[in-house]
């Protein structure tokens, strides 16, 4: 009987490792930006004639949500964002990521230079008009440069940023009701109590 | 004559096809030295979208953006470690095919050797125990007598006969 104990122990350890490995999503790469200041940028907003920078949100706890009209998962998470915005808990800033250039069906060579911003505004605006606009404002990251600074590798992604401008949480992929209730909201409440 | 014309036509068609393919390929930088360094660096980096492809090989759009970014950093005169740090700061150690040795990666780096050493220790222990079990043991006088008795007894040599 004793001779089976060691193989059994090895087997159990293997089962534990495999079970943990199965539960982890390989697409979720932990972000090195959590705990670091949100990268600075200054981008045009969706509403023409204005610019936005994360510094404008100093003193507030807020969400930065990366989205695009071509992003299917964004559509899945969108109703949750719209409902959440109606409750008015946290301001959500949208980062419209490569609205035209990220859409595989668009040949950028056929888009005349200089017309990109207008086309982006038209497409993004139409999408928000159709699906609801949960954003305090949206900024246009047309070439994805800001996305790279934020380590975006799959839309949607959402960052919870505290009053000092530090990223405190990153949601990769669509926000689920569980993630919102169990992670984002409790942390946001705690951050709201901190000094700015 | 006809044949030559057909050949020419084929060549012309293939030529234009080749040209249109070339137009679709990613534009190379004007500077071949930059491109060579880009390949060397990006082969050591992992594409985040197709996770088992290197940044050099991936056709994912993000990989193209990141290659453009690395190209820019090369032209800015950044060193290879600086360029890797730039990407690690944004995407984490995950982008490196050779992650740095630090407490969180100790298991990754040394785990296989720990397993190997453990297996060797187990193997040696097993072999020792087995050879100890196989060592010849001296027969006692009683054993010898019993063996002699068995050999001397002719009855035990033949299987017992059954009466039909």
């Amino acid at each position: 009987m004793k001779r089976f104990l060691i193989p059994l122990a090895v087997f159990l350890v293997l089962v534990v490792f495999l079970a943990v490995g199965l539960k982890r999503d390989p697409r979720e790469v932990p972000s090195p930006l959590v705990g670091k200041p949100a990268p600075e940028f200054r981008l045009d907003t969706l509403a023409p004639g204005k610019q936005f920078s994360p510094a404008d949100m100093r003193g507030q706890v807020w969400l930065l949500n990366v989205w695009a009209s071509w992003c299917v998962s964004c559509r899945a998470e969108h109703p949750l964002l719209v409902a959440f915005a109606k409750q008015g808990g946290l301001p959500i800033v949208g980062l419209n990521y490569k609205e035209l250039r990220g859409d595989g069906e668009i040949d950028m060579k056929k888009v005349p230079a200089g017309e990109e911003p207008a086309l982006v505004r038209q497409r993004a605006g139409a999408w928000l008009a159709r699906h609801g606009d949960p954003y305090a404002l949206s900024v246009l990251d047309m070439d994805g440069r800001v996305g790279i600074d934020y380590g975006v590798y799959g839309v949607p992604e959402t960052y919870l940023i505290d009053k000092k401008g530090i990223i405190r949480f990153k949601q990769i992929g669509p926000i689920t009701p569980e993630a919102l209730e169990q992670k984002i909201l409790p942390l946001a409440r705690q951050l709201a109590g901190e000094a700015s | 004559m006809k044949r030559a014309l057909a050949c020419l036509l084929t060549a012309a068609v293939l030529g234009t096809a080749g040209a249109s393919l070339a137009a679709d390929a990613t534009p190379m930088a004007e500077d071949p030295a930059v491109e060579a360094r880009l390949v060397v660096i990006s082969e050591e980096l992992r594409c985040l979208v197709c996770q088992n492809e290197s940044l050099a090989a991936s056709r994912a759009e993000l990989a193209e953006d990141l290659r453009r970014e690395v190209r820019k950093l090369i032209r800015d005169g950044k060193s290879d470690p600086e360029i890797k740090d730039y990407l690690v700061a944004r995407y984490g150690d995950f982008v490196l095919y050779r992650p740095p040795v630090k407490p969180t990666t100790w298991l990754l780096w040394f785990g296989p050797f720990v397993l190997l050493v453990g297996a060797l220790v187990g193997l040696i222990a097993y072999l020792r125990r087995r050879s100890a079990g196989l060592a010849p043991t001296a027969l006692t006088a009683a054993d010898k007598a019993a063996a002699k008795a068995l050999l001397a007894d002719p009855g035990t040599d033949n299987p017992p006969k059954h009466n039909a």
Side-chain angles (χ1 to χ4, degrees):
Chain A
M1 201 51 223
K2 229 179 179 179
R3 57 195 296 228
F4 294 116
L5 278 181
I6 291 173
L8 186 68
V10 170
F11 175 71
L12 287 179
V13 168
L14 196 67
V15 165
V16 169
F17 270 94
L18 290 176
V20 172
L22 271 179
K23 289 237 163 157
R24 296 185 58 179
D25 182 354
R27 305 210 67 84
E28 277 191 24
V29 181
S31 174
L33 285 161
V34 173
K36 301 237 169 71
E40 261 315 311
F41 62 80
R42 179 156 286 280
L43 286 175
D44 290 341
T45 60
L46 182 57
K50 278 189 197 147
Q51 287 199 320
F52 170 83
S53 160
D56 301 346
M57 299 300 279
R58 229 18 88 74
Q60 289 189 69
V61 181
W62 58 293
L63 289 173
L64 180 72
N65 175 250
V66 186
W67 69 282
S69 73
W70 45 260
C71 155
V72 179
S73 307
C74 299
R75 201 172 309 170
E77 95 174 339
H78 208 69
L80 187 69
L81 286 180
V82 172
F84 180 63
K86 277 204 185 115
Q87 296 167 19
L90 288 173
I92 311 173
V93 172
L95 180 77
N96 179 270
Y97 177 74
K98 295 179 74 173
E99 176 64 41
L100 282 189
R101 300 186 200 190
D103 189 337
E105 284 170 16
I106 290 182
D107 186 354
M108 284 309 290
K109 272 173 261 162
K110 291 190 183 136
V111 177
E115 277 185 30
E116 191 181 1
L119 260 170
V120 165
R121 285 201 168 91
Q122 183 197 326
R123 272 172 53 121
W127 195 81
L128 288 180
R130 189 164 152 209
H131 297 281
D133 185 355
Y135 303 114
L137 58 95
S138 268
V139 291
L140 308 178
D141 182 22
M142 291 188 284
D143 59 2
R145 268 296 296 117
V146 170
I148 290 178
D149 281 344
Y150 276 79
V152 171
Y153 63 91
V155 211
E157 293 184 12
T158 306
Y159 301 79
L160 178 62
I161 299 168
D162 73 8
K163 291 179 181 175
K164 288 179 189 139
I166 311 274
I167 296 176
R168 301 300 288 261
F169 178 79
K170 178 182 177 187
Q171 171 79 21
I172 295 159
I175 298 178
T176 57
E178 296 80 45
L180 189 65
E181 290 297 329
Q182 288 163 20
K183 288 182 186 154
I184 297 175
L185 281 178
L187 187 55
R189 272 194 283 270
Q190 179 202 324
L191 295 177
E194 287 180 4
S196 56
Chain B
M1 189 59 213
K2 245 185 190 168
R3 230 180 166 164
L5 202 72
C7 269
L8 257 172
L9 260 173
T10 321
V13 167
L14 285 178
T16 48
S20 67
L21 275 179
D24 277 341
T26 332
M28 291 272 279
E30 319 77 65
D31 189 350
V34 169
E35 217 56 24
R37 259 189 80 198
L38 171 71
V39 169
V40 172
I41 296 170
S42 58
E43 266 175 354
E44 283 282 313
L45 297 170
R46 185 201 297 264
C47 170
L48 284 121
V49 182
C50 330
Q51 299 189 341
N52 289 328
E53 267 190 306
S54 74
L55 201 54
S58 179
R59 287 178 58 87
E61 214 174 307
L62 178 68
E64 246 159 65
D65 287 357
L66 290 177
R67 281 197 295 265
R68 191 186 62 206
E69 215 50 37
V70 171
R71 242 183 230 125
K72 197 175 134 274
L73 291 172
I74 292 173
R75 276 199 221 101
D76 290 349
K78 295 276 192 294
S79 71
D80 289 11
E82 278 173 330
I83 292 172
K84 281 182 185 165
D85 286 349
Y86 172 91
L87 287 165
V88 168
R90 285 157 178 76
Y91 295 99
D93 288 337
F94 188 80
V95 293
L96 300 175
Y97 271 124
R98 273 180 240 263
V101 181
K102 56 185 191 185
T104 50
T105 59
W106 280 353
L107 190 64
L108 179 71
W109 278 103
F110 306 120
F113 298 105
V114 170
L115 274 181
L116 181 69
V117 169
L120 280 177
V121 167
L123 181 69
I124 289 168
Y126 170 74
L127 288 176
R128 280 220 175 123
R129 222 180 321 138
R130 200 180 67 149
S131 60
L134 288 177
T137 44
L139 292 177
T140 61
D143 290 335
K144 276 186 183 153
K148 222 171 227 170
L150 283 171
L151 290 170
D153 184 1
T156 51
D157 257 354
N158 306 317
K161 278 174 188 151
H162 292 279
N163 293 325

